[in-house]
Amino acid sequence: MFQFLFIFILLVLTYIGIFQILPELYWFQSFGYTSTFLIQLLYKTGLFLFFFGSIFLIYFINEKITKRFINASKFTIPNEPTSPFFQQVKKILEALIAPYIGTKTKISASFKWIGLAFLSLLIAKYGVFYWNEIITSLHAAPFQVNDPIFNQDISFFVFLLPVISHFIGLYKFTLITAFLSSIWQYLNQGLLGLFFTPNSKLIRGHVFGFLALIFTLLSFSSYISKFDLLFKNNEIIYGLGYTDFNFYLKAIGVLPWIWLALAVLAIVLIFKLSKPLIVIGAGCYFAFKMIFLSLVPSLIQNYIVAPNEYKKEIPFIKNNIKYTQMAYQLNNIHEVDVAYTKDLKVTNKQKFETIINNARLWNPGPLKSTLKQLQEIRLYYEFKNIDIDRYFINDKPQQVMLSARELDIQQISQKAQTWVNKHLIFTHGYGLCMVPVNQFNAEGLPELFIRDIPPVSKPGLTIKQPELYFGEATNHYVIVNTKQKEFDYPKDNENRYTNYQGQGGIQLDSFLKRLIFSVKLKDIKLLISQNIHDKSRLMFDRNVHLIPKKIAPFIIFDKDPYLVVNNGRLLWMIDGYTSSQYYPYSTPYAKSTNYLRNSVVVTVDAYSGQTKFYIKDASDPIVQAHKNVYPNLFQSIDQMPIDLKKHLRFPKDLFKVITKVYNTYHMNDPQVFYNKEDVWTFPTETYDSETGITMEPYYMYVYDQNSQRHEYVMMVPLTPSNKNNLVSILTASCEPDNFGKITVYKYPKQETVYGPLQIESRIDQNTEISKDLTLWGQVGSRVIRGNLMVIPYDNSIFYIEPIYLQATQSKLPELKRVIVAAGDKVTMTPSLNEGIELITKEKINLALSKNAPQTKTSNYLTNKIIDTYSKVKESLKSSDWLNFGRRFEELDELIQKLRNDQ
């Protein structure tokens, strides 16, 4: 039996090694991370063997003891217990187990050991699930910050505590299952009654000895449980509070000694089975738990703390605020008080020009629809996502939106979806589109800095390698550099073909490799195809969402990779995060995560697949621990090329988390925090036709007064909870030399600063704008109101909202109007330039000539003058002198503007 089992296990391990481990090794090797794979494999295998060996050893020893005691007890003549109580218990037990004794289960020794080995394997597999936590705990880096209660470095909680808890839980389960197995075997053999026999101490010794061992482990477990109080979610704060500190912590400190006392009591009961001792032991434990761990803490909380809760909880509220701010780096936020002025005045046209030229008028949704209509070229191309970045064009910063033209194999006709087409010919996407965020032509369509196939681009944005073999839509495997030419791109009525010249993928230079991957990919054609030769290369698992996750599964990667044009090549950049749920006193933002860092950024070459991991935040102890484990995986951010470093962005997801936490934890005063007097929230806006949409953070150029320069930032306006006025703007710098610096611009509370929804209301209440929007929506067009942009300039704020028109029969949105607002003024014009001029009443020569058909400006003003003159006459006829004065003043401003233009 064991010989066949050994051969079976050997065959299984051989199959796993050849057809599962070896393909993964080749995959890691193709990306240059062989050592990373081998380290992970070594640690996982070592831990599995350790867990399996130690768990099976426990089962083995227990099984041998149980079997020996069963054999020895079969010849023991039972006699009645001396105690009437135990005599009664024995009779009850015998009555309960009588049915089982008559139907003894016969299990061969071989099947029993196989079952125990299988159970050990399952437990060991669960144990290995935490392999990363266990390994990093052996290479832990200090946080150099201690918790306020136990004075332990934070690294103890982040690295060691979860591992200790995992080991305790694992072996607690093992001991309990082994204990129950022995009880069942004694019961099945009809020998459990000997437990009460005074002249037989074997079974009693085994049972109580095992209990003593379990109680000892529970003693250690209860000792460790005191640290969990730092992660307790109280009603007021997250973490240990007044009652926990002053009573519960002391009470729970007694519990380990009670468990040890019960362990000693279990050993005593081996030699003298005593009802009083059992009652006293069980009674003490349950009484202590009910009274000192439940009832008394509840009484203290309700009758001592609750009547004077704020004063009692002050030091613990301070701890919660302090450690939450440290966990999310909120303690480093720079605060700026803004001396707000309502009117927008352009004091420095050059500084204002940079801001305006980078104000986003195109929204991802409408732009994606437009690009699909204009630039997908063929049905099998797809613009999957719209990315936002910035470039220096003509020595000026320019925010742009770009999207890769990826290949969607599913869009090829069903007849053409042959194996050769799917895996040998249609292998890659081609090029991208790049659009300046604020420019559109006379038809309301975007200007394109990079367009068409092959790519046509502005100077400085030349694309030398437009093929995309690695991207967001590359989900099927391909074989490149085969005898079959690859489709490269369509040209007029013909197709251009190419052969892959890079080093990406796995070279199929042996029959063994082809056999391995035909089994792994479940495709025999990969083995028998005559098109494949020894220089062909296999690319699988090539999605940029998957590649970094597979190489470094211990890092959480951002869901939005973005494309970068760097020295003529296309690269993907993916942000990576380290996290923990064990940062003391830090309030979780979602689920149980209460510590988050953007510690890693990954680049993936879209042509070669070359992948590099850079440490973005070297101060993070978690990434330092990973670096200690994988010395060849990470590079310093200083090793990133300077041109590429200019495209680093502060991740949107991280910024949203920080903002969400900061909305509450900007309150440093414990009493303000306790009363939740100044909670902030994300504002809402109107998008398309829906009102109340939560506003998303956005990238923008702002002028930083401290550095005296424009900085590219991620930003979001904030409003008080249950109110719509603007209270602050939060920004995070994306500049390489100032990356991650967070600034909050606070606006005065004594006057109203319009928030996004208030501006949206003013737009709706503007009769001219409302009339035009309603009219356009009734003549076969759909009006799409874009995202409202809140833009700070000096001490004032102005607001921009694009208006798109889309014919009901097509999905080609056109940017037709721009709403500009500042203070009490709201206007809608064909271009941003005109809107700014109407608001500021100044002639502004901004680089916005492509915003709209500027040649039509005079016609536009003439039409506005005619329309306003009609309204002046209507007011005069109805003797509405108030509106007459307003309309006449507006008419005078429009005539003056027309004179200036001429």
Side-chain angles (χ1 to χ4, degrees), residues 845-870:
N845 291 317
L846 302 178
L848 299 173
S849 58
K850 294 181 181 179
N851 270 151
Q854 298 296 317
T855 56
K856 296 183 181 180
T857 301
S858 296
N859 290 336
Y860 169 75
L861 285 173
T862 302
N863 291 334
K864 287 288 289 183
I865 289 171
I866 294 171
D867 184 57
T868 305
Y869 178 68
S870 298

Side-chain angles (χ1 to χ4, degrees), residues 361-363 365-375 401 433-451 784 802-807 810-818 830-831 848-853 856:
L361 297 180
W362 283 105
N363 293 161
L367 180 60
K368 183 179 178 180
S369 297
T370 301
L371 291 181
K372 284 176 73 68
Q373 294 291 324
L374 301 178
Q375 283 288 311
M401 303 174 80
C433 285
M434 181 183 288
V435 177
V437 295
N438 69 324
Q439 295 183 21
F440 57 100
N441 61 24
E443 289 74 36
L445 300 176
E447 293 289 338
L448 294 169
F449 281 177
I450 301 177
R451 68 181 193 277
I784 302 174
I803 302 296
Y804 310 93
L805 288 184
Q806 176 180 301
S810 70
K811 293 185 178 180
L812 184 64
E814 298 176 355
L815 208 167
K816 290 299 187 183
R817 294 289 185 270
V818 180
S831 74
L848 299 173
S849 58
K850 294 181 181 179
N851 270 151
K856 296 183 181 180

Side-chain angles (χ1 to χ4, degrees), residues 566-577:
N566 184 60
N567 294 326
R569 298 185 71 89
L570 304 181
L571 282 85
W572 296 96
M573 297 188 80
I574 309 106
D575 285 292
Y577 309 100

Side-chain angles (χ1 to χ4, degrees), residues 530-548:
Q530 299 298 313
N531 287 307
I532 301 173
H533 50 74
D534 59 2
K535 291 185 180 180
S536 299
R537 309 185 77 89
L538 169 67
M539 296 178 179
F540 74 99
D541 287 352
R542 58 195 180 109
N543 191 299
V544 292
H545 290 275
L546 178 62
I547 293 168

Side-chain angles (χ1 to χ4, degrees), residues 2 5 8-9 12 48 51-53 55-57 59-60 109-127 173-174 177:
F2 281 106
L5 180 63
F8 174 75
I9 292 174
V12 170
F48 176 80
F51 284 129
F52 179 80
I55 292 167
F56 186 77
L57 182 62
Y59 286 138
F60 178 83
S110 298
F111 281 110
K112 184 183 293 184
W113 290 118
I114 291 172
L116 291 175
F118 183 70
L119 181 59
S120 301
L121 186 146
L122 291 179
I123 300 173
K125 188 176 180 180
Y126 172 75
F173 179 81
T174 302
T177 52

